[in-house]
Amino acid sequence: MAIEVIATKRVLEGTGASRRLRRAGQTPAVVYGAGKEAVSISLDHNTMYYALKTEAFHNEVLDLVIDGQKEQVKVAAFQNHPFKQLVLHIDFARV
């Protein structure tokens, strides 16, 4: 059974836009690979923070739902804040 992750596309990119997202309780992320264009997305921070603590989230193929469209991805990389309980960014690779 695949884990389902809900995301929304984001239009604004860059440092300032990412900071505004984090202040609003969102985590910026990117989906890339499989010969398709990279897509910038945002995810709910608390959901991702606790999901990243589970081993299954790192090892399984995830169903990423971006504005209603489902893609299969794996977690490629993620960044945490050095001392705050904060996920700064997540990279997903298409399967």
Side-chain angles (χ1 to χ4, degrees), residues 53-94:
K53 289 187 172 287
T54 64
E55 189 175 336
F57 193 77
H58 296 273
N59 295 326
E60 284 190 28
V61 174
L62 310 171
D63 286 336
L64 182 66
V65 180
I66 305 170
D67 295 335
Q69 292 187 325
K70 193 178 285 192
E71 293 189 69
Q72 290 194 322
V73 298
K74 284 193 74 124
V75 175
F78 66 97
Q79 297 172 333
N80 286 322
H81 192 277
F83 59 89
K84 293 180 184 176
Q85 292 184 346
L86 183 67
V87 180
L88 297 176
H89 184 82
I90 305 173
D91 289 351
F92 292 102
R94 290 184 184 101

Side-chain angles (χ1 to χ4, degrees), residues 4-5 9 15 23 30 34 52-53 63 65 77 82 84-85:
E4 190 170 274
V5 179
K9 278 187 185 176
T15 307
R23 266 189 250 122
V30 67
L52 285 166
K53 289 187 172 287
D63 286 336
V65 180
K84 293 180 184 176
Q85 292 184 346

Side-chain angles (χ1 to χ4, degrees), residues 25-45:
Q26 297 288 308
T27 299
V30 67
V31 183
Y32 57 84
K36 296 180 184 175
E37 196 71 29
V39 178
S40 296
I41 59 173
S42 65
L43 308 152
D44 179 60
H45 176 268

